[in-house]
Amino acid sequence: MKKQIILLTLISLLAFTQVGWGQQTYTWTGATDNSWATSTNWTPERTPLATSDVLQFNGGGTVTVTAVPTQTIAQLTVSGSTIVNLQSAAAVILTIGGAAGTDLSVDATSQLNCNNTTGITIAIATTATGSILGNMTFSGGVHKITAVDAAGLTFQSGSTFTQGLLCTGNVFGASGGTTNSVVFASGSTFIQKTGSNPFASPTPASIVQFQTGSLFSNQQTGTPSFSGRTYANFEQDCTVGPPTITVTGGGAVSIDNFTVKNGTFLFNMTGHSSAIKGNITVLSGATLNFNPLTPGDTVSLGGSSLQTISNAGTMAIGGSNNFPVNIVITNPAGVQLSSGTLTIQNSAKVTLGNNNLTIASGATLATDATSYIVTNGTGALIQTVGSSATFPIGDIAYRPVTLASVTGGSPVISARVTNANAGGTFDGSLSSISPTRYWAIGLVSGAFTYFTLNLTYGNDDGVTDNTNLRIGMNTSSSAAGAYSSLGGTGGSANTSGNITSGLLGYLGTPSYFLLANAYGGTNPLPVELSSFTSTMNGRNVQLNWETKTEVAFNKFEIDRASVNANDASVTWASVGKVSASGTSNSPRKYSFTEKDLQAGKYQYRLKMIDNDGSYKLSAIVETDITSPKNFELSQNYPNPFNPSTKISYNLPSDSKGYFRNLRCIRRKSSTIG
């Protein structure tokens, strides 16, 4: 009996040692054959099998391991410049159950591949983790690698995972898998040569997460998933064909650096708010076209450091679908076209807002009268000027500016045009200046001796006497400074045309220019509106405005629009008129009050009409009349009344109300509904 007790105790101690002191580690030697299942291919001999086994490949060279079974192990590691190719005779699942430390690891010098026709799934169980520093390639069949926990598998910087030929489907698991269970960290790369989109789950969920600095390289003829997806760096690099890739969808896509290496890439998203936050690169022979399927789509260039557009191939904004796209620069550091030609066509626009677009020396813009750079803010178009250069800019209309006869260097010049009243004054050589728009042109770097300036005008600029049209120049630090005549050969025509200045030998940073009327000329340039505001008093709105000058000016019509949050468009209606002073070189103040408005948001504008019937529209002011919190009843007026009176009341919500007029003897006299 004592011997049996001792033997049982020894067995128990051995079992405790196996469990408590860690798993058994087996190293692949391939001493007998290539079969995973042959126990003598492992050192020590792998028998019996246990879920706590740690398997390692570290002998260097290339190892092809066959007959991989469905099995659970604790850990699998590949190191020491070893390339491991796993193969199986049937569809199998190799589960990594986990232990202390990283459970699936491939060091930076090694590879772990699945490359036969029968599918192998490497499943990282809950609490287990995988960290890949080297490379993995799945090809030849439908292989998968999955994780249960968020960030259960991470491809580290320098690693590459390739979904190769014949490895179809969602390589990281099907829809319904754990969100962000597979992570591509900064510096890692996912190459997709075939298969379905790796995100798998419907947006906004995603099985795979591409962190900033990672790369998705689409090397297949299939279309990548863009609608509602977030990438880091993205490149199109399929050499088969090469193909035309067309991405569509109503969900916005977010991309950092965007590169087209081969083929044609049609960015046809309809998400209205897609974003590219890094550089855009188109290689020689490749094409990138922003070509929306619905009107009004917007793509923002919204990085935090200078974004560059490098085009050695073909790049266009606006395509054959003939729906205008708006590229909006929201990056405060600006965007630079560093090489090649950027074509803006089919009524497309690039809107700068308060940010700059720089055209590097040697790069070019191709635009037209309906497709141009919108500069209706503080952002400017910047480019190097040789002997001449045109800045294809506009505000609410195409109003380019051309610098010509430039001598004394190749200066870098900034230009923008703003649809607003500059608010300036003018000297005795001019009798009026335009309140419609002004140009800001500045010297960024370099030098010049002199040049001439050509401005374009149109129907809304108020030109009726082109022979007396001049360019006014203001060299102060504000657009509201004093303007003097820069001369000019006279406008090319009335209503619309262009005018060229005399020689200009100085530019500030910037200087300001606008259309002006020579003293004695008859260009009305109708009214200088220096302010336009609205104030609210209960359900009454009072509009106040002031003019600096008026020439042959007749009246103001007040337009009002009710703004509906569910309707992007507004309908304007005239609600009143105010007579103007006629002709004045001194300030004039005006006001108009509209009473008893219902709760809601309203916009107002002034229609400023000349004696000849021509007119201009002012800027828009907006006011919001809110409903009272409680029922309010005002005193009737007049009181006492005979034969009528007025009683005002406010209701906290839209509803029907009525008043009952009672006689003193408490009999109902009448009901007012």
Side-chain angles (χ1 to χ4, degrees), residues 3-22:
K3 290 181 180 180
Q4 291 177 344
I5 293 174
I6 293 174
L7 180 59
L8 289 172
T9 301
L10 180 59
I11 292 173
S12 298
L13 286 172
L14 288 174
F16 176 80
T17 300
Q18 178 72 14
V19 175
W21 291 354

Side-chain angles (χ1 to χ4, degrees), residues 295-343:
D297 279 318
T298 296
V299 177
S300 68
L301 303 183
S304 56
S305 58
L306 178 68
Q307 291 174 256
T308 62
I309 299 174
S310 303
N311 178 29
T314 301
M315 181 176 174
I317 299 171
S320 58
N321 291 325
N322 291 320
F323 290 126
V325 62
N326 190 19
I327 303 294
V328 179
I329 296 178
T330 60
N331 184 348
V335 174
Q336 181 184 62
L337 177 63
S338 61
S339 62
T341 298
L342 174 61
T343 300

Side-chain angles (χ1 to χ4, degrees), residues 369-564:
T370 64
S371 310
Y372 52 88
I373 309 299
V374 179
T375 64
N376 204 13
T378 60
L381 176 62
I382 301 172
Q383 60 183 347
T384 301
V385 178
S387 59
S388 67
T390 296
F391 290 75
I393 57 178
D395 40 39
I396 60 173
Y398 184 50
R399 294 294 181 263
V401 56
T402 298
L403 278 63
S405 304
V406 181
T407 64
S410 296
V412 177
I413 302 292
S414 68
R416 58 182 170 88
V417 57
T418 302
N419 182 240
N421 187 348
T425 59
F426 48 89
D427 62 17
S429 65
L430 304 172
S431 62
S432 61
I433 57 178
S434 174
T436 303
R437 56 175 50 87
Y438 63 89
W439 289 260
I441 303 171
L443 179 65
V444 177
S445 62
F448 63 92
T449 302
Y450 61 80
F451 60 82
T452 61
L453 187 68
N454 184 280
L455 302 181
T456 300
Y457 56 89
N459 293 336
D460 63 342
D461 285 298
V463 177
T464 59
D465 179 9
N466 62 296
T467 59
N468 284 296
L469 187 66
R470 299 292 183 265
I471 295 177
M473 179 179 181
N474 162 23
T475 58
S476 69
S477 59
S478 169
Y483 287 84
S484 59
S485 177
L486 189 57
T489 58
S492 61
N494 287 336
T495 308
S496 62
N498 55 78
I499 179 172
T500 301
S501 73
L503 292 177
L504 177 65
Y506 171 79
L507 271 182
T509 54
S511 295
Y512 299 93
F513 304 86
L514 44 64
L515 299 177
N517 184 52
Y519 194 81
T522 60
N523 286 293
L525 301 178
V527 57
E528 279 193 275
L529 190 66
S530 57
S531 67
F532 181 34
T533 61
S534 67
T535 56
M536 184 178 64
N537 181 14
R539 293 195 289 122
N540 302 333
V541 174
Q542 180 171 317
L543 304 175
N544 299 286
W545 64 96
E546 181 177 350
T547 63
K548 284 193 172 183
T549 60
E550 299 175 17
V551 179
F553 191 49
N554 184 270
K555 62 184 175 182
F556 299 91
E557 285 191 0
I558 296 89
D559 291 345
R560 184 194 70 203
S562 178
V563 181
N564 187 338

Side-chain angles (χ1 to χ4, degrees), residues 22-184:
Q23 296 76 24
Q24 176 66 53
T25 298
Y26 298 96
T27 302
W28 176 267
T29 59
T32 306
D33 53 32
N34 291 329
S35 174
W36 175 291
T38 302
S39 62
T40 53
N41 283 331
W42 304 91
T43 299
E45 182 178 351
R46 188 170 176 237
T47 182
L49 305 180
T51 58
S52 59
D53 289 350
V54 175
L55 307 185
Q56 63 181 17
F57 297 85
N58 58 9
T62 300
V63 176
T64 298
V65 181
T66 62
V68 175
T70 291
Q71 191 174 93
T72 298
I73 60 175
Q75 294 180 337
L76 175 65
T77 66
V78 184
S79 60
S81 300
T82 306
I83 300 173
V84 178
N85 297 317
L86 299 182
Q87 299 179 358
S88 63
V92 299
I93 299 176
L94 179 62
T95 301
I96 311 296
T102 302
D103 304 303
L104 173 65
S105 66
V106 180
D107 76 5
T109 67
S110 302
Q111 298 181 30
L112 177 61
N113 308 317
C114 296
N115 60 1
N116 69 321
T117 58
T118 306
I120 297 175
T121 296
I122 299 177
I124 301 173
T126 186
T127 72
T129 58
S131 179
I132 310 301
L133 284 84
N135 299 333
M136 297 184 72
T137 298
F138 285 8
S139 61
V142 182
H143 309 292
K144 296 181 183 298
I145 182 167
T146 64
V148 173
D149 299 334
L153 172 62
T154 300
F155 291 91
Q156 306 289 356
S157 179
S159 68
T160 297
F161 181 89
T162 301
Q163 186 174 359
L165 298 179
L166 303 180
C167 185
T168 57
N170 303 107
V171 71
F172 301 119
S175 178
T178 303
T179 298
N180 299 335
S181 56
V182 178
V183 175
F184 281 86

